[in-house]
Each structure stands twice: as structure tokens, then as C-alpha cells.
Amino acid sequence: MSNTEAHPVELSCGGPSDAGPPPVVEVLTAREVPLGGPRAMTVRRTLPQRARTLIGAWCFADHYGPDDVSSTGGMDVAPHPHTGLQTVSWLFSGEIEHRDSLGSHALVRPGELNLMTGGHGISHTEVSTPRTTLLHGVQLWVALPDEHRDAPRDFQHYAPAPVPLDGGAARVFLGTLAGDTSPVPTFTPLLGAELSVDPGATVRLEADPLFEHGLLVDTGDIRFDGTPLAPAEMGYAAPGRTTLTVTNAGPEAARLVLLGGPPFGEEIVMWWNFVGRTHDDIVQAREDWMKGSRFGEVQGYDGAPLPAPELPNAPLKPRGRAR
């Protein structure tokens, strides 16, 4: 999915800027962002934001739906570029057709991971299929470490089996959780999993104390390590925990997405669909996209590529984690 805001904001992929000890669990609220078009599909963007723009290497999180495509038109994102990152598509309902300049042509279905590596540069499209009635899921980005940010294009598909938990279940699409490990390789240690928690149940998960974690709530009356979270909110837990506790106080099963990884120690620049290290990296990526080089072409989409927005007048500054 593209960051198709008309005026994308430069944000740091790092920790909060305020001094002092963080709360036990920091609550991150989402902002609504239209993806463009006459019947714009609106997403709830939790990452990046000025309060906290990175959890491990996860630097972007859009949460959308359930979206009635008969009234909104669904998803139709024209060819657009990515560089210096990976995209992670994960659906709860609906179906999306993916095409990219590597030549991949795949369907994104509920409970199945599609991971695309932009690296040096890739372009792709995402279109909800005609048989989709409700579109509901998350779109996530992973920043690539400097030594791998020019990695070759790649596309991986994986359908994790549900892992039973005491009080729920998990589908582990990246990393390791509850004794299950995804076979999909990553460039930094990562955790990505969909969790379901039974009504009135508490799930306790072993955690890597070197990881920071984010818990995004889709449905449920949730308490994350004792902190209440409403639907569309994300709870941030700093490194140091060996156990994560998730309680669903509601009468229906809860659905959540758990993200994690060790703090990303590099300074980066993230603007539009690009992740670089300097202002000049972003300028070059934009120039390459607009002149039709580096990112390749997507075959099979009936429409023109998305033009890149204009760069801001001020130089884009690399940012890193707050110490």
C-alpha cells in the first residue's frame, strides 16, 4: 500500500522526544488518512506519529475496515514505488490482488502473509477483487537496516497455522511466539502475529526482553499489561519485559496484531514511500521514480502510475531514537 497523502509529513522513526520515564504502557492513538480518489478509502494510521514513530524496525502501520466496498469502492492503488523497506500485508477479511515489478502476481487473503522487499527499488499495485464485499486488515512497513537497504526485490508468501494459547490463539507470520516460528526470513529480528483472545480471558505470552512491542487492537475490550486499549489504539511496551499480559474484558472474542523487535538503532529519513538515510537519498529516489527508472514496471494494471508529491522546501533531516 502506498502512503498516498497529498502532503506527506517527514517524521522520525524513533522514540518519543519527551524526557523522563515512559509509562508502563504508552497508548498510541491513530489518525485517519484518506488513500485518495473520488471515493477515498480511509485508513487509521498508528505509525508513524510524532509521539512514537518506530517499534523495532516497524515504521508504518495502517489499520482499515471493515470497509463496505459497495459504498467506498474498495482499494485501488495504482503503481507506486518503494525503496529501503519491506511491506507486510495482512487481511482479516476480503481479498486484494497484488502485482509488482518483480513479476509477482498474488492474492492477499485473510490469515496469509504477503511480504514484499523494496530494497533498492520496486513498484507494485494493490486492488481489491470483485468478489470482496468487506475489506478489513492492516498494512505494515519494515525499515531495512543500512547494510541491506539496497537488497534485491523479493516477494514471500506464507500462511501460518493457528497456534492454540491458554485463552486464545495466535498466527505467527514473522518471528517466533508461543513456540511457533515463521520460516520467512527478515533482515532484523522481528515479531509479527495476529492474536485472538477469548471473551473474559487473559493470555500471557513469553517475551524477548530485548524487544519493544506494539499491540494494535482491532476488536475487544483490551488491557495490555494492565493498561486499557480501545479498538484502533496501539499499546507500546518498552524493552525489558519477559512476559506480555493481554486481557479481553469484553463479551466477544478480541482480535489484535502484536508487533515487536529490538530498538532500531539507526537514523533514517522516511518520506512518502521511501526510506533513506539522507535528504539526497530521498531526492534521488523521487527523481528516479518520476523519470521511470530504478523501480521497474508493473504489468497488468490498467492505469497510470502515481506521481510523487512535491518535496518540502526545507531539507529532510535524519532522525533516530531518543536516548
Side-chain angles (χ1 to χ4, degrees), residues 78-83 98-106 116-126 151-155 289 292-301 305:
H80 59 280
H82 290 291
T83 186
H98 165 98
R99 297 176 185 266
D100 64 41
S101 57
L102 181 66
S104 311
H105 181 203
M116 184 184 72
T117 300
H120 183 65
I122 197 169
S123 57
H124 74 136
T125 63
E126 293 164 302
R153 301 167 188 165
D154 191 33
F155 183 82
W289 173 247
S293 65
R294 178 175 172 179
F295 295 95
E297 295 184 4
V298 180
Q299 301 296 323
Y301 180 86

Side-chain angles (χ1 to χ4, degrees), residues 53-295:
T53 59
L54 191 85
I55 296 175
W58 300 100
C59 63
F60 185 94
D62 274 357
H63 175 215
Y64 55 89
D67 186 72
D68 182 355
V69 302
S70 66
S71 59
T72 66
M75 182 182 294
D76 187 349
V77 185
H80 59 280
H82 290 291
T83 186
L85 57 85
Q86 293 176 296
T87 65
V88 174
S89 300
W90 186 259
L91 283 178
F92 306 136
S93 66
E95 186 178 68
I96 295 172
E97 183 179 34
H98 165 98
R99 297 176 185 266
D100 64 41
S101 57
L102 181 66
S104 311
H105 181 203
L107 293 176
V108 185
R109 297 187 178 98
E112 299 181 5
L113 169 73
N114 279 5
L115 183 147
M116 184 184 72
T117 300
H120 183 65
I122 197 169
S123 57
H124 74 136
T125 63
E126 293 164 302
V127 180
S128 50
T129 62
R131 56 180 167 264
T132 297
T133 55
L134 288 177
L135 193 59
H136 191 187
V138 293
Q139 180 73 25
L140 311 164
W141 292 358
V142 177
L144 294 177
D146 189 53
E147 63 179 319
H148 296 296
R149 67 187 177 100
D150 286 320
R153 301 167 188 165
D154 191 33
F155 183 82
Q156 299 281 331
H157 175 86
Y158 174 56
V163 178
L165 305 172
D166 184 8
R171 291 182 184 269
V172 184
F173 51 85
L174 288 176
T176 298
L177 183 71
D180 189 52
T181 298
S182 166
V184 179
T186 59
F187 292 95
T188 57
L190 289 174
L191 170 62
E194 178 185 315
L195 303 179
S196 62
V197 181
D198 299 336
T202 294
V203 169
R204 293 176 176 83
L205 301 165
E206 291 187 8
D208 187 331
L210 299 179
F211 279 28
E212 52 188 356
H213 293 88
L215 185 70
L216 176 64
V217 180
D218 180 52
T219 60
D221 181 1
I222 298 300
R223 279 160 179 73
F224 181 32
D225 282 0
T227 299
L229 295 176
E233 291 183 335
M234 178 183 285
Y236 168 80
R241 289 167 168 79
T242 57
T243 303
L244 303 174
T245 303
V246 182
T247 298
N248 175 22
E252 306 291 339
R255 180 164 52 204
L256 314 107
V257 175
L258 179 64
L259 307 175
F264 196 76
E266 301 178 19
E267 290 190 329
I268 71 173
V269 177
M270 185 168 72
W271 180 85
W272 196 43
N273 297 316
F274 309 133
V275 171
R277 294 301 182 273
T278 67
H279 173 84
D280 289 345
D281 288 342
I282 303 301
V283 171
Q284 188 64 58
R286 184 188 183 279
E287 180 181 331
D288 290 345
W289 173 247
M290 294 302 289
K291 70 182 182 184
S293 65
R294 178 175 172 179
F295 295 95

Side-chain angles (χ1 to χ4, degrees), residues 30-32 42-46 61-66 136 218 232:
R31 61 190 177 96
E32 292 193 347
T42 299
V43 301
R44 298 174 292 277
R45 184 159 296 165
T46 313
D62 274 357
H63 175 215
Y64 55 89
H136 191 187
D218 180 52

